[in-house]
Amino acid sequence: MAELLAPAPDFSGWTCPAPLRDQPRIVMGHGGGGTLSSELVEHVFAPAFGSPELSGFPDSAVLRLGGARLAFSTDSFVVRPLFFPGGSIGDLAVNGTVNDLAMSGAVPAFLSCAFLLEEGVELETVARVAEAIGAAARAAGVRVATGDTKVVESGHGDGVYVNTAGIGLVPDGVDIRPDRAVPGDVVIVSGPIGLHGVAVMSVREGLEFGVRIESDCAPLGGLVAAMLAVTPDLHVLRDPTRGGVAAALNEIAASSSVGVLLQERALPVPPEVANACALLGLDPLYVANEGKLVAFVPREHADAVLAAMLAHPLGAGARIIGECVDAHPGMVVARTAFGATRVVDRPLGEQLPRIC
Amino acid sequence: MAELLAPAPDFSGWTCPAPLRDQPRIVMGHGGGGTLSSELVEHVFAPAFGSPELSGFPDSAVLRLGGARLAFSTDSFVVRPLFFPGGSIGDLAVNGTVNDLAMSGAVPAFLSCAFLLEEGVELETVARVAEAIGAAARAAGVRVATGDTKVVESGHGDGVYVNTAGIGLVPDGVDIRPDRAVPGDVVIVSGPIGLHGVAVMSVREGLEFGVRIESDCAPLGGLVAAMLAVTPDLHVLRDPTRGGVAAALNEIAASSSVGVLLQERALPVPPEVANACALLGLDPLYVANEGKLVAFVPREHADAVLAAMLAHPLGAGARIIGECVDAHPGMVVARTAFGATRVVDRPLGEQLPRIC
């Protein structure tokens, strides 16, 4: 029976979507959260699933079920190494999904946790990751409600991969979406940027920067709740993970068809991040964060929201970094310290693969 | 700075839980859905997460959020090959999670979908998997609401892995759990068993069985709804995937502290599955299914529920295969065609790795 030996289906009718034609294979950048990732979602996943809303860069979906308004999100985690200064893949797996829920204004409530393990990995390593997940879940106020474990043969995996999905409850009156930014909105970042990416890279590459740089990995549900207590009318929230602040702002500018004007001098770049980036030829605007958010806030509420952020431990370094403008819709522009302007492009992929 | 080069945390305080001490590394069986999987959940994950309910073998968690009673579940899929007779990893990724929700009596509603891709895999393969996911989701009446894509370097993955999580709404009055079986319950299986595992193995091993055997991969939400229309008082539902009917019945027997007595002659084993299993030394009771369920139904409703199943396309082969008894609590026993009895043990792992 020849057909038993021929599992591959008939692919003869397939046509590669036009924007992807010069790259018929997956490259690292397709997982980088930049333009390549978006093209894959927009031209492959969203049409195949019949879910055009996936192209709109949402951190989480907001949906109504049984009378409740819920946020729903998922992320897989493939960071190397599994443990790094300031956190681990377990911390990322909880906080990454919790923060995606919080960026819809939701109160994170439940997580699923799926392990994809490689045959031969030490049970102790798995246990340590699980303990980190449990501790991070308790700190974030969420419960791991369901899970799964799959094992692949040695050489077909990479130790430990983790996927989490999360559900949260969106409070009445809250409508935070990447397409709600309007000219006049004030852009606030919740604290110093670039720490997570530099921390992971430092241990991966064995680099010494003269100081210990720790990941900022943290759950942002409490900070968002403090901001919403000032006003439910926050327009956009985003955690600038893969692709950094640059990718987050570009996605918002594109979704909302507005321009974003940054004041480069206002960007809170810690000296140790600036030094590491200078050494490596990186731009801190493109380095991942795992415990920060950018907020687009109506001007009349900006001072009060900033004050609430500054009063919260995870917003103590908050700064106004720019504003939303009519000019150059869809583009992010930075005014440099010398008064010139430069375009802050959307990254193609992630300059530091596998940082989350 | 030496600490930058030493990402491994201090593991000195870790003690391997007693039941796992003779196996300090992950083996394939830890992902097989049998005893090894359970030990990992019971002794490592559940205590670390502070979620003891995970040890109770639930297919999905049932939780209350914003006034709604929801089912929540996740599964990762690592099947090889990606496409097999009767389905693909995309069909499994949808139906596997949809069925876990349905086994709580929930109406499946939304899925997340996370791709873990290996650098170098053809875009066309990814697109075909995505198309299978979209088609399966439409057939199951669910919507892919959110997603994620990560890419790992060539040699650190295995082409395409998929994780889905799902949310469904549990109707009022429905309370289906693995610990609700009671002596007197009638055990029904929804149709012929063993097709999925044999179908995948046939293509993987290049075996010819003289007939084409197709996976039974299918979404069971509609069948469960038809059963619930007879009575909301179904006690237990389970889709016998990894570890087959034997693993499913053993989990229920253990959770409910009841005995299960099977009539071996009543088991619907298709001749082609029986032949393939005889050839390979496998027991059809342990072979995975992806479109079947076993139901524990109060005796007074059994005939009506069976009739409703037989009237549904996915229950057309339904059969009563046994009953729940006071004797031998926690054990599954089969009465053979010759009138003898044998114990149907819980499998240690999965006899056919990576079939889902």
Side-chain angles (χ1 to χ4, degrees), chain A residues 1 3-5 7 9-14 16 20 23-28 30-31 40 44-45 48-54 60-61 63-66 68 70 72-76 78 80-81 83-84 109-128 130-131 133-134 138 143-153 155-158 161 163 165-169 202-203 206-213 242 354 356, chain B residues 1 3-5 7 9-14 16 20 23-28 30-31 40 44-45 48-54 60-61 63-66 68 70 72-76 78 80-81 83-84 109-128 130-131 133-134 138 143-153 155-158 161 163 165-169 202-203 206-213 242 354 356:
Chain A
M1 297 284 106
E3 70 268 43
L4 287 181
L5 306 175
D10 176 15
F11 279 0
S12 55
W14 192 78
C16 191
L20 304 172
Q23 178 49 265
R25 289 182 181 272
I26 292 293
V27 296
M28 293 302 294
H30 283 117
L40 199 59
V44 177
F45 295 147
F49 298 164
S51 306
E53 70 275 19
L54 295 178
S60 55
L63 43 94
R64 195 172 282 281
L65 193 58
L70 306 175
F72 183 32
S73 187
T74 189
D75 262 329
S76 297
V78 298
R80 284 189 314 156
F83 301 87
F84 47 81
F110 295 102
L111 292 185
S112 66
C113 179
F115 283 90
L116 212 161
L117 305 175
E118 185 179 9
E119 185 185 17
V121 69
E122 289 187 2
L123 197 55
E124 179 164 345
T125 302
V126 177
R128 289 296 179 171
E131 285 173 11
I133 288 171
R138 285 185 288 277
R143 186 167 185 86
V144 180
T146 188
D148 180 55
T149 306
K150 292 292 189 305
V151 179
V152 295
E153 298 86 352
H156 291 265
D158 202 6
Y161 298 140
N163 174 281
I167 316 178
L169 194 62
S202 69
V203 287
L207 297 172
E208 301 184 16
F209 300 126
V211 288
R212 179 176 166 93
I213 299 175
R242 289 180 289 180
R354 298 187 59 181
C356 65
Chain B
M1 299 284 107
E3 71 268 40
L4 288 180
L5 304 174
D10 177 15
F11 278 4
S12 55
W14 192 76
C16 192
L20 304 172
Q23 180 47 269
R25 289 181 182 272
I26 292 294
V27 297
M28 293 304 292
H30 282 118
L40 199 57
V44 177
F45 295 148
F49 299 164
S51 306
E53 69 275 18
L54 295 178
S60 53
L63 43 95
R64 195 172 283 281
L65 193 58
L70 306 175
F72 183 32
S73 188
T74 189
D75 262 330
S76 297
V78 299
R80 285 187 314 154
F83 301 87
F84 47 80
F110 295 100
L111 293 185
S112 65
C113 179
F115 283 90
L116 212 160
L117 305 175
E118 186 180 8
E119 185 186 16
V121 70
E122 290 186 1
L123 198 55
E124 179 163 347
T125 302
V126 177
R128 290 296 179 173
E131 285 173 9
I133 289 171
R138 285 185 288 277
R143 186 167 186 85
V144 181
T146 187
D148 180 54
T149 306
K150 291 291 189 306
V151 180
V152 294
E153 298 85 352
H156 291 265
D158 202 7
Y161 297 139
N163 173 281
I167 316 178
L169 194 62
S202 71
V203 289
L207 298 172
E208 301 186 14
F209 299 126
V211 289
R212 179 177 165 92
I213 299 175
R242 290 180 289 179
R354 298 189 57 182
C356 64

Side-chain angles (χ1 to χ4, degrees), chain A:
Chain A
M1 297 284 106
E3 70 268 43
L4 287 181
L5 306 175
D10 176 15
F11 279 0
S12 55
W14 192 78
T15 315
C16 191
L20 304 172
R21 262 183 213 151
D22 50 352
Q23 178 49 265
R25 289 182 181 272
I26 292 293
V27 296
M28 293 302 294
H30 283 117
T35 303
L36 288 170
S37 293
S38 292
E39 285 179 355
L40 199 59
V41 173
E42 185 179 346
H43 299 288
V44 177
F45 295 147
F49 298 164
S51 306
E53 70 275 19
L54 295 178
S55 299
F57 311 117
D59 267 333
S60 55
V62 175
L63 43 94
R64 195 172 282 281
L65 193 58
R69 204 155 62 106
L70 306 175
F72 183 32
S73 187
T74 189
D75 262 329
S76 297
F77 298 87
V78 298
V79 65
R80 284 189 314 156
L82 296 175
F83 301 87
F84 47 81
S88 71
I89 192 172
D91 299 284
L92 289 177
V94 171
N95 293 331
T97 293
V98 159
N99 290 349
D100 282 347
L101 297 173
M103 297 306 113
S104 293
V107 180
F110 295 102
L111 292 185
S112 66
C113 179
F115 283 90
L116 212 161
L117 305 175
E118 185 179 9
E119 185 185 17
V121 69
E122 289 187 2
L123 197 55
E124 179 164 345
T125 302
V126 177
R128 289 296 179 171
V129 171
E131 285 173 11
I133 288 171
R138 285 185 288 277
V142 296
R143 186 167 185 86
V144 180
T146 188
D148 180 55
T149 306
K150 292 292 189 305
V151 179
V152 295
E153 298 86 352
S154 180
H156 291 265
D158 202 6
V160 180
Y161 298 140
V162 182
N163 174 281
T164 52
I167 316 178
L169 194 62
V170 184
D172 288 339
V174 169
D175 182 23
I176 301 174
R177 283 182 276 125
D179 59 355
R180 281 200 67 215
V182 293
D185 281 356
V186 172
V187 181
I188 308 177
V189 67
S190 64
I193 65 172
L195 290 163
H196 176 72
V198 169
V200 172
M201 196 178 39
S202 69
V203 287
R204 191 154 71 203
E205 308 298 337
L207 297 172
E208 301 184 16
F209 300 126
V211 288
R212 179 176 166 93
I213 299 175
E214 295 211 339
S215 168
D216 58 343
C217 189
L220 296 172
L223 176 62
V224 170
M227 296 165 71
L228 286 171
V230 175
T231 173
D233 191 28
L234 305 176
H235 286 170
V236 189
L237 296 176
R238 193 99 184 154
D239 55 335
T241 56
R242 289 180 289 180
V245 170
L249 295 179
N250 269 280
E251 287 165 10
I252 295 164
S255 282
S256 297
S257 295
V258 295
V260 174
L261 180 63
L262 289 182
Q263 300 297 332
E264 207 164 61
R265 274 185 303 189
L267 289 171
V269 182
E272 62 270 30
V273 170
N275 290 342
C277 287
L279 191 70
L280 297 158
L282 301 175
D283 183 336
L285 271 176
Y286 292 84
V287 177
N289 312 274
E290 291 289 345
K292 296 299 180 308
L293 61 81
V294 292
F296 284 60
V297 181
R299 187 166 297 272
E300 65 269 30
H301 299 303
D303 288 342
V305 169
L306 179 63
M309 295 173 75
L310 290 168
H312 190 280
L314 292 173
R319 300 267 285 270
I320 292 173
I321 59 169
E323 64 187 320
C324 217
V325 296
D326 276 311
H328 52 80
M331 281 176 67
V332 179
V333 169
R335 181 161 292 146
T336 69
F338 310 105
T341 57
R342 66 172 176 119
V343 173
V344 178
D345 273 330
R346 182 141 198 250
L348 194 66
E350 162 61 51
Q351 55 187 358
L352 307 169
R354 298 187 59 181
I355 41 86
C356 65

